[in-house]
Amino acid sequence: MSAVTTLTEDQLALAEVTLDFAQEQLAPYAVAWDQDKHFPVDVIRRAAALGLGGVYVREEHGGSGLDRADGVLVFETLATGCPSIAGYLSIHNMVAWMIDRYGDPAQRARWLPGLCSAETLGSYCLTEPGAGSDAAALRTRAEPDGDHYVLSGVKQFISGAGSSDLYIVLARTGGGGPGGISAFVVERGDPGVSFGANERKMGWNAQPTRQVVLDGVRIPADRRLGAEGDGFRIAMHGLNGGRLGIAACSLGGAQSALDRSLAHLADREAFGARLLDAQALQFRLADMATELTAARALVRQAAEALDRGDPQAVQLCAMAKRFATDTGFSVADRALQLHGGYGYLSEYGIEKIVRDLRVHRILEGTNEIMNVIVARGLTESLR
């Protein structure tokens, strides 16, 4: 496992541009979006105008052509403004990457320009009411019908559902287990596609979460992504990058909470002295900063491993997702405590960060499943 390299000048410039966007276009509105359950599609398209709609998509297809090491910088920095919107953009970019990586030339030409500009929004449909952590047990079916497939089933907890235009749907075309799963591109307007109610959630309220209901959705065979039976492999490869994106979003949200805590403690006095001068509180801040720095190093190490095709990349991505999302939530929770009663008030934005970061420990594979992946990598040679 290689050491994490220092940031290049290009990466520093990328982070600066993204930070400016996060602080000007996201942070001032994040609390209101959360309270109003408003999905700011116009702002997402402004982010795409900076190249953030197709971060990993090759330049010849309209993307920015960045690697994973660049991407974790992008999503960490965006999340300092709003983890919910940064999280959706991470998922959207996972969808765009999957089409760029596994689509044929016609599919790339058809969908990537819109995804890169965010005129087309993307969602990822793997989880079902009865198949979450055990994704290979999914029951949605895609039955061949001449030169079409007919899809039937229900997908659960789909970020962006109802607002997104394009859905990568994993469905069963063969027998049980991962080998019987294929990937398809479904469009919002396809007959038979409908959506459940917008879920009432603890956090991530600035983006919709709904069921995607597929009731005999008939699509042409050229909507299949990759070969029959390749769907589970495609889905898992997409999730490696998706896990890094969510890990990075946890870092950004937690960093914002830490920065706000420093400012709050500098402004507040108790017993005749600034709270920031209390050594006990300084030590808490030091712990928070140290843990975030360690998590950031692991996320960047995993991103570099994924970029170079390291055999340990899957394990490292799981480690990074588990450690960064646990750490991010813990740091944000301690930041709320350092704010005292003010941290519990919505107007300060700290409680929103805590609520947003909590779900990061569940989505893109629960942290318990991340431990399964890591343990499997450690013990595989001993079986």
Side-chain angles (χ1 to χ4, degrees), residues 25-26 33 38-46 85 206-207:
Q25 301 289 329
L26 301 182
W33 292 338
H38 174 65
F39 187 41
V41 173
D42 57 332
V43 177
I44 290 170
R45 287 176 179 155
R46 281 179 231 151
I85 297 304
Q207 57 165 293

Side-chain angles (χ1 to χ4, degrees), residues 319-342:
M319 287 179 179
K321 193 271 180 180
R322 201 284 297 167
F323 187 68
T325 57
D326 280 350
T327 299
F329 177 75
S330 174
V331 167
D333 186 58
R334 281 175 279 170
L336 189 154
Q337 187 73 18
L338 288 172
H339 277 73
Y342 293 101

Side-chain angles (χ1 to χ4, degrees), residues 7-19:
L7 298 183
T8 65
E9 288 187 10
D10 286 345
Q11 287 175 326
L12 290 170
L14 176 65
E16 183 178 358
V17 169
T18 311
L19 181 61

Side-chain angles (χ1 to χ4, degrees), residues 29-107:
Y29 313 104
V31 170
W33 292 338
D34 175 76
Q35 292 175 345
D36 297 339
K37 285 197 169 185
H38 174 65
F39 187 41
V41 173
D42 57 332
V43 177
I44 290 170
R45 287 176 179 155
R46 281 179 231 151
L50 295 177
L52 305 184
V55 172
Y56 309 118
V57 174
R58 286 168 285 187
E59 292 181 21
E60 60 263 37
H61 301 136
S64 296
L66 302 181
D67 58 22
R68 300 293 178 177
D70 299 324
V72 294
L73 288 176
V74 166
F75 294 112
E76 176 179 352
T77 309
L78 280 176
T80 63
C82 179
S84 177
I85 297 304
Y88 173 75
L89 275 166
S90 173
I91 294 166
H92 172 89
N93 273 277
M94 178 172 66
V95 169
W97 176 83
M98 291 170 75
I99 291 175
D100 187 37
R101 174 65 178 80
Y102 294 104
D104 61 33
Q107 291 170 330

